[in-house]
Amino acid sequence: MTENGPLDGRLVRVEDGAWAGWSVWKPGDPFEDLAGPFYSREDERGLVCGFLPGDRNRNGFGAVHGGALMTFADFALFRIPAGMSEGFHGVTMTFGAEFLAPAMPGTVLTARGEVMRAGRSIVFVRGVIAQEEAPVLSFSGSIKRVR
């Protein structure tokens, strides 16, 4: 892996395997390390985040657990505006989600979104997680910028 992106060297580019060309956080967030890994990259449509849920992400019915979806959405909530400026740091202030359809382990989930408004101290974001282009969760939230 090599360094990539404006996020203080915290992103590393994956050089081989199924996620080659994507970036991943260096280990360091114990919860995301356990729940993920979560990936991101730029494509022709903008930033996209990726996650391959496995058996450990299942709920009692065999679908991806809602908590796993919300954790991935929270990653995307931060990652979507992080490219706006060098050294972007923040914490989630508000988070909302609507479950639209079940997601199944073993198939990649993608998240895309947009910054709705970026003030000096608060950034508002919304997005959708999809599996094979079918929406499974919509989310929105606000991030408090921290120094």
Side-chain angles (χ1 to χ4, degrees), residues 6-146:
L7 299 173
D8 300 320
R10 293 179 290 152
L11 280 178
V12 290
R13 182 175 297 279
V14 178
E15 297 295 336
D16 52 10
W19 293 96
W22 293 73
S23 294
V24 64
W25 292 123
K26 286 183 181 177
D29 184 316
F31 188 72
E32 284 186 5
D33 293 348
L34 179 66
F38 305 127
Y39 300 89
S40 62
R41 69 175 179 172
E42 294 280 338
D43 68 9
E44 66 282 349
R45 293 173 47 200
L47 182 85
V48 59
C49 299
F51 169 46
L52 179 60
D55 288 340
R56 68 188 169 149
N57 304 113
R58 290 179 188 263
N59 63 20
F61 296 105
V64 177
H65 193 284
L69 290 171
M70 291 170 64
T71 300
F72 177 47
D74 187 61
F75 166 82
L77 182 76
F78 176 80
R79 190 62 191 95
I80 290 164
M84 291 187 319
S85 65
E86 186 77 26
F88 179 87
H89 299 281
V91 294
T92 304
M93 252 177 56
T94 64
F95 181 85
E98 293 78 38
F99 297 95
L100 306 173
M104 299 311 295
T107 303
V108 171
L109 295 168
T110 57
R112 292 185 183 274
E114 61 185 327
V115 173
M116 299 305 297
R117 180 164 190 237
R120 275 191 337 201
S121 63
I122 300 174
V123 178
F124 298 89
V125 180
R126 70 177 175 190
V128 174
I129 295 174
Q131 192 166 55
E132 297 181 331
E133 300 299 321
V136 297
L137 181 118
S138 65
F139 62 92
S140 62
S142 58
I143 297 171
K144 171 70 173 161
R145 292 183 197 230
V146 295

